[in-house]
Amino acid sequence: MTSALTLPPGGPLASSRPESPTGSQPLPFELDHLLALRVPGLIATRRHIHSHPELSGEEFETAALVHRELSLAGLNPRLLPKGNGVICDIDGRPDGPVIALRADIDALPLGDPKDVPYRSTVEGVCHACGHDVHTAVMLGVGMLLAQLADLGQLDGRVRLIFQPAEEILPCGSLEVIEAGGLDDVVQIFALHCDPNLPVGKVGLRVGPITAAADNVTVRLTGPGGHTARPHLTVDLVDALGRLVTEVPTLISRRVPANSGLLLVFGHASAGTRYNVIPSEACAAGTLRVMDRDTWNQAPKIVAQVVRDVLAPTGATVDLEYLRGRPPVTNDAGAIGVFTAATASALGPEGIAETPQSMGGEDFSWYLEHVPGALARLGVGRDGPNVDLHRASFDVDERAIEAGVRLMVQTALRALAAAR
């Protein structure tokens, strides 16, 4: 396995390291020099993770890599009970507060069509959401903060969380919480890659920054029959069509327009023959909503509308509504920490306002227990940007150094503010 300190063969690393942004401040105790030495290895680690992705819940090799690299930095990481995630405390002053930083480590079930040396070697699995970058950034943060702790210059404890299963339900954040990941934590912070922002920019927002996201699956059954005699059976193809076209529109009329409720079906299937009415049909999708009150009402609304729409068809309906995650709602105090840290790490011009996204993020479950914030890390490349969750998604790797600088400053400022 590629060491975090060894470059994989083939291909240049990235664009040359940018000069320090105007108005930025150096890291304390000559950590800039240490970071400069570490950046090539962090990029190599990101590329290794990218070429060896693991699906949600199966992140055993990624967790082992993280555990090994943190151990080499002199830290004492521990694996989650399933072995597919890592928690690591960096111990500073014992009377200081505990701040948590989270990175997610899972990949998506997508092929990787990119023509790059670090293309995925696992068929049908790809880091198309930037979790490989999140992991590399947090490893760099751990290495630098460990140095500060050794110097006696860390005013508390920083807990690094390398979380599995962000992309699926049930959420991996719930596993971390159950394993004690938030014990004694007073604030928690995280980054997420944003290809719509260039390197050196950080998207910040007080209040909701993502939407709630749930999974909806509707299974239809009927006797099936001949397409010549639909009156003798239940036409499930017709019922499925009504479901996927009428239900999304009708549920949006049951809530205020500014709630942003959105139901989109990503899967629909029925039948195998042109002249046979099937006996089974299915549609599955995601429901997203921007505010917490509407999210609380959504299961009841969806169930009622599905019943109303499908009742005339005669189909037997089985609705599975799987609660996912509430909106990520950023705490104003935590965003204040992020804002000051961004100005220090990347200069005042690095601060960018960002809109609420319709994407979901299970970081929200941590914020049900402690205040914190999620920021968007600019990773945009030259030319047209490719959105998250597309197989061809890639990043400007200079974002790794920017992310390390930002999260080190965030941890130090959060510790100072919490004392």
Coordinates of all heavy atoms in Angstrom, one line a residue, residues 278-328:
P278 N -47.3 -6.7 -15.9 CA -46.6 -7.3 -14.8 C -47.4 -7.4 -13.5 O -48.4 -6.7 -13.3 CB -45.4 -6.4 -14.6 CG -45.9 -5.1 -15.1 CD -46.8 -5.3 -16.2
S279 N -46.9 -8.3 -12.7 CA -47.6 -8.4 -11.4 C -46.8 -7.7 -10.3 O -47.3 -7.6 -9.1 CB -47.6 -9.9 -11.0 OG -46.3 -10.5 -10.9
E280 N -45.7 -7.1 -10.6 CA -44.9 -6.3 -9.6 C -44.3 -5.1 -10.3 O -44.0 -5.1 -11.5 CB -43.8 -7.1 -9.1 CG -44.2 -8.3 -8.2 CD -43.0 -9.1 -7.7 OE1 -41.8 -8.8 -8.1 OE2 -43.2 -9.9 -6.8
A281 N -44.2 -4.0 -9.6 CA -43.6 -2.8 -10.1 C -43.0 -2.0 -8.9 O -43.4 -2.3 -7.7 CB -44.6 -1.9 -10.8
C282 N -42.0 -1.2 -9.1 CA -41.4 -0.5 -8.0 C -40.8 0.8 -8.5 O -40.3 1.0 -9.6 CB -40.2 -1.4 -7.5 SG -39.3 -0.7 -6.1
A283 N -40.8 1.8 -7.6 CA -40.2 3.0 -7.8 C -39.5 3.5 -6.5 O -40.0 3.2 -5.4 CB -41.1 4.1 -8.2
A284 N -38.3 4.0 -6.6 CA -37.6 4.5 -5.4 C -36.9 5.8 -5.7 O -36.5 6.1 -6.8 CB -36.5 3.5 -5.0
G285 N -36.9 6.7 -4.7 CA -36.3 8.0 -4.9 C -35.9 8.6 -3.6 O -36.0 8.0 -2.5
T286 N -35.6 9.9 -3.6 CA -35.2 10.7 -2.5 C -36.2 11.8 -2.3 O -36.6 12.5 -3.3 CB -33.8 11.2 -2.5 OG1 -33.7 12.0 -3.7 CG2 -32.8 10.1 -2.6
L287 N -36.5 12.1 -1.0 CA -37.3 13.2 -0.7 C -36.4 14.2 0.0 O -35.7 13.8 1.0 CB -38.5 12.9 0.2 CG -39.4 14.1 0.6 CD1 -40.8 13.8 0.4 CD2 -39.1 14.6 2.0
R288 N -36.3 15.4 -0.4 CA -35.5 16.4 0.2 C -36.3 17.6 0.5 O -37.2 18.0 -0.2 CB -34.3 16.8 -0.8 CG -33.5 15.7 -1.2 CD -32.5 16.0 -2.3 NE -31.8 14.8 -2.8 CZ -30.7 14.3 -2.3 NH1 -30.2 14.9 -1.2 NH2 -30.2 13.2 -2.8
V289 N -36.0 18.3 1.7 CA -36.7 19.4 2.1 C -35.8 20.3 2.9 O -34.9 19.9 3.6 CB -37.9 18.9 3.0 CG1 -37.5 18.2 4.2 CG2 -38.8 20.1 3.4
M290 N -36.0 21.6 2.8 CA -35.1 22.6 3.3 C -35.3 23.0 4.8 O -34.4 23.5 5.4 CB -35.1 23.8 2.5 CG -34.7 23.6 1.0 SD -34.7 25.0 -0.1 CE -33.2 25.8 0.4
D291 N -36.5 22.7 5.3 CA -36.7 23.1 6.7 C -37.1 22.0 7.6 O -37.7 21.0 7.1 CB -37.7 24.3 6.8 CG -39.1 23.8 6.5 OD1 -39.8 23.3 7.4 OD2 -39.6 23.9 5.4
R292 N -36.8 22.1 8.9 CA -37.0 21.0 9.8 C -38.5 20.7 10.0 O -38.9 19.5 10.1 CB -36.4 21.3 11.1 CG -36.4 20.2 12.2 CD -35.6 19.0 11.7 NE -35.6 18.0 12.7 CZ -34.6 17.7 13.6 NH1 -33.6 18.5 13.5 NH2 -34.7 16.7 14.4
D293 N -39.4 21.7 10.1 CA -40.8 21.4 10.4 C -41.4 20.6 9.3 O -42.2 19.7 9.5 CB -41.5 22.8 10.5 CG -41.2 23.5 11.8 OD1 -40.6 22.8 12.8 OD2 -41.4 24.7 11.9
T294 N -41.1 21.0 8.0 CA -41.7 20.2 6.9 C -41.2 18.8 6.9 O -41.9 17.9 6.5 CB -41.5 21.0 5.6 OG1 -42.0 22.3 5.7 CG2 -42.1 20.2 4.4
W295 N -39.9 18.7 7.2 CA -39.3 17.3 7.3 C -40.0 16.4 8.3 O -40.2 15.3 8.0 CB -37.8 17.5 7.7 CG -37.0 16.2 7.7 CD1 -36.8 15.3 6.6 CD2 -36.4 15.5 8.8 NE1 -36.1 14.2 7.0 CE2 -35.8 14.3 8.4 CE3 -36.3 15.9 10.2 CZ2 -35.1 13.5 9.2 CZ3 -35.6 15.1 11.0 CH2 -35.0 13.9 10.5
N296 N -40.4 17.0 9.4 CA -41.2 16.2 10.4 C -42.5 15.8 9.9 O -43.0 14.7 10.2 CB -41.3 17.1 11.7 CG -40.0 17.3 12.4 OD1 -39.1 16.5 12.3 ND2 -40.0 18.4 13.2
Q297 N -43.1 16.6 9.0 CA -44.4 16.2 8.5 C -44.4 15.3 7.2 O -45.4 14.7 6.8 CB -45.2 17.5 8.1 CG -45.4 18.5 9.2 CD -45.9 19.8 8.6 OE1 -46.8 19.9 7.7 NE2 -45.4 20.9 9.1
A298 N -43.2 15.3 6.6 CA -43.1 14.6 5.3 C -43.6 13.2 5.2 O -44.3 12.8 4.2 CB -41.7 14.7 4.8
P299 N -43.3 12.3 6.1 CA -43.7 10.9 6.0 C -45.2 10.8 5.9 O -45.8 10.0 5.1 CB -43.2 10.2 7.3 CG -42.0 11.1 7.7 CD -42.4 12.5 7.3
K300 N -45.9 11.6 6.7 CA -47.4 11.5 6.7 C -48.0 12.0 5.4 O -48.9 11.5 4.8 CB -48.0 12.3 7.9 CG -49.5 12.3 8.0 CD -49.9 13.0 9.2 CE -51.5 13.0 9.3 NZ -51.9 13.8 10.6
I301 N -47.4 13.1 4.9 CA -47.8 13.7 3.7 C -47.6 12.8 2.5 O -48.5 12.6 1.7 CB -47.1 15.1 3.4 CG1 -47.5 16.1 4.4 CG2 -47.4 15.6 2.0 CD1 -46.7 17.4 4.4
V302 N -46.5 12.2 2.4 CA -46.2 11.3 1.3 C -47.1 10.1 1.3 O -47.6 9.7 0.3 CB -44.7 10.8 1.3 CG1 -44.4 9.7 0.3 CG2 -43.8 12.0 1.1
A303 N -47.3 9.5 2.5 CA -48.2 8.3 2.6 C -49.6 8.6 2.1 O -50.2 7.8 1.4 CB -48.2 7.8 4.0
Q304 N -50.1 9.8 2.5 CA -51.5 10.1 2.1 C -51.6 10.4 0.7 O -52.5 9.9 0.0 CB -51.9 11.4 2.9 CG -53.4 11.8 2.6 CD -54.3 10.8 3.1 OE1 -54.3 10.4 4.2 NE2 -55.2 10.3 2.2
V305 N -50.7 11.1 0.1 CA -50.7 11.4 -1.4 C -50.5 10.1 -2.2 O -51.2 9.9 -3.2 CB -49.7 12.4 -1.8 CG1 -49.6 12.6 -3.3 CG2 -50.0 13.8 -1.1
V306 N -49.6 9.2 -1.8 CA -49.4 8.0 -2.5 C -50.7 7.2 -2.5 O -51.2 6.6 -3.6 CB -48.3 7.2 -1.9 CG1 -48.3 5.7 -2.5 CG2 -46.9 7.9 -2.3
R307 N -51.4 7.1 -1.4 CA -52.6 6.3 -1.3 C -53.7 7.0 -2.2 O -54.4 6.3 -2.9 CB -53.1 6.3 0.2 CG -52.4 5.3 1.1 CD -53.1 5.0 2.3 NE -53.3 6.3 3.1 CZ -52.5 6.7 4.1 NH1 -51.4 5.9 4.4 NH2 -52.7 7.8 4.8
D308 N -53.8 8.3 -2.1 CA -54.8 9.0 -2.9 C -54.6 8.8 -4.4 O -55.6 8.6 -5.2 CB -54.9 10.5 -2.6 CG -55.3 10.8 -1.2 OD1 -55.9 9.8 -0.5 OD2 -55.1 11.9 -0.7
V309 N -53.4 8.9 -4.9 CA -53.1 8.8 -6.3 C -53.3 7.3 -6.8 O -53.8 7.1 -7.9 CB -51.7 9.2 -6.6 CG1 -51.2 8.8 -8.0 CG2 -51.5 10.7 -6.4
L310 N -52.9 6.4 -6.0 CA -53.0 5.0 -6.5 C -54.3 4.2 -6.2 O -54.5 3.2 -6.8 CB -51.8 4.2 -5.9 CG -50.4 4.7 -6.4 CD1 -49.3 3.9 -5.7 CD2 -50.3 4.6 -7.9
A311 N -55.1 4.8 -5.3 CA -56.4 4.1 -5.0 C -57.2 3.7 -6.2 O -57.7 2.6 -6.3 CB -57.2 5.0 -4.0
P312 N -57.4 4.6 -7.2 CA -58.2 4.3 -8.3 C -57.7 3.2 -9.2 O -58.4 2.6 -10.0 CB -58.3 5.6 -9.1 CG -57.9 6.7 -8.2 CD -57.0 6.1 -7.3
T313 N -56.4 2.9 -9.1 CA -55.8 1.9 -10.0 C -56.0 0.5 -9.5 O -55.9 -0.5 -10.3 CB -54.2 2.1 -10.1 OG1 -53.6 1.7 -8.8 CG2 -53.9 3.5 -10.4
G314 N -56.3 0.3 -8.3 CA -56.5 -1.1 -7.7 C -55.3 -1.8 -7.3 O -55.3 -2.9 -6.9
A315 N -54.1 -1.1 -7.5 CA -52.9 -1.8 -7.1 C -52.7 -1.9 -5.6 O -53.2 -1.0 -4.8 CB -51.7 -0.9 -7.7
T316 N -52.1 -3.0 -5.2 CA -51.7 -3.1 -3.8 C -50.4 -2.3 -3.5 O -49.4 -2.5 -4.3 CB -51.6 -4.6 -3.4 OG1 -52.8 -5.2 -3.6 CG2 -51.1 -4.7 -1.9
V317 N -50.4 -1.5 -2.5 CA -49.3 -0.6 -2.3 C -48.5 -0.9 -1.0 O -49.2 -1.0 0.0 CB -49.8 0.9 -2.3 CG1 -48.6 1.9 -2.1 CG2 -50.6 1.2 -3.5
D318 N -47.3 -1.0 -1.1 CA -46.4 -1.1 0.0 C -45.4 0.0 0.0 O -44.5 0.1 -0.9 CB -45.6 -2.5 0.0 CG -44.6 -2.6 1.1 OD1 -44.9 -2.0 2.2 OD2 -43.6 -3.3 1.0
L319 N -45.5 1.0 0.9 CA -44.7 2.2 1.0 C -43.7 2.0 2.1 O -44.0 1.8 3.3 CB -45.5 3.4 1.3 CG -44.8 4.7 1.6 CD1 -44.0 5.2 0.4 CD2 -45.8 5.8 2.0
E320 N -42.4 2.1 1.7 CA -41.3 2.1 2.7 C -40.7 3.5 2.7 O -40.2 4.0 1.7 CB -40.2 1.1 2.3 CG -39.0 1.1 3.3 CD -37.9 0.2 2.8 OE1 -38.2 -0.6 1.9 OE2 -36.8 0.3 3.3
Y321 N -40.8 4.2 3.9 CA -40.3 5.5 4.1 C -39.2 5.4 5.1 O -39.4 5.2 6.2 CB -41.4 6.5 4.5 CG -41.0 7.9 4.4 CD1 -41.5 8.8 3.5 CD2 -40.1 8.5 5.3 CE1 -41.2 10.1 3.3 CE2 -39.7 9.8 5.2 CZ -40.3 10.6 4.2 OH -39.9 11.9 4.1
L322 N -38.0 5.6 4.6 CA -36.8 5.5 5.4 C -36.2 6.9 5.8 O -35.8 7.6 4.9 CB -35.7 4.7 4.7 CG -34.4 4.3 5.5 CD1 -34.8 3.5 6.8 CD2 -33.5 3.5 4.6
R323 N -36.3 7.2 7.1 CA -35.8 8.5 7.5 C -34.3 8.5 7.4 O -33.6 7.6 7.7 CB -36.1 8.7 9.0 CG -37.6 8.9 9.3 CD -38.1 10.2 8.6 NE -38.4 11.2 9.6 CZ -38.7 12.5 9.2 NH1 -38.8 12.8 7.9 NH2 -39.0 13.4 10.1
G324 N -33.8 9.6 6.8 CA -32.4 9.8 6.5 C -31.7 10.7 7.5 O -31.1 10.2 8.4
R325 N -31.7 11.9 7.2 CA -31.0 12.9 8.0 C -31.6 14.3 7.9 O -32.2 14.6 6.9 CB -29.6 13.0 7.4 CG -29.5 13.3 6.0 CD -28.3 12.8 5.3 NE -28.3 11.4 5.1 CZ -27.3 10.7 4.6 NH1 -26.2 11.3 4.3 NH2 -27.4 9.4 4.4
P326 N -31.6 15.0 9.0 CA -32.2 16.4 9.0 C -31.2 17.3 8.3 O -30.1 16.9 7.9 CB -32.3 16.7 10.5 CG -31.3 15.9 11.2 CD -31.2 14.6 10.4
P327 N -31.7 18.6 8.1 CA -30.7 19.5 7.5 C -29.5 19.8 8.4 O -29.7 19.7 9.6 CB -31.6 20.8 7.4 CG -33.0 20.4 7.5 CD -33.0 19.2 8.3
V328 N -28.4 20.0 7.8 CA -27.2 20.5 8.6 C -27.5 22.0 8.9 O -27.6 22.8 8.0 CB -25.9 20.4 7.8 CG1 -24.8 21.1 8.5 CG2 -25.6 18.9 7.6

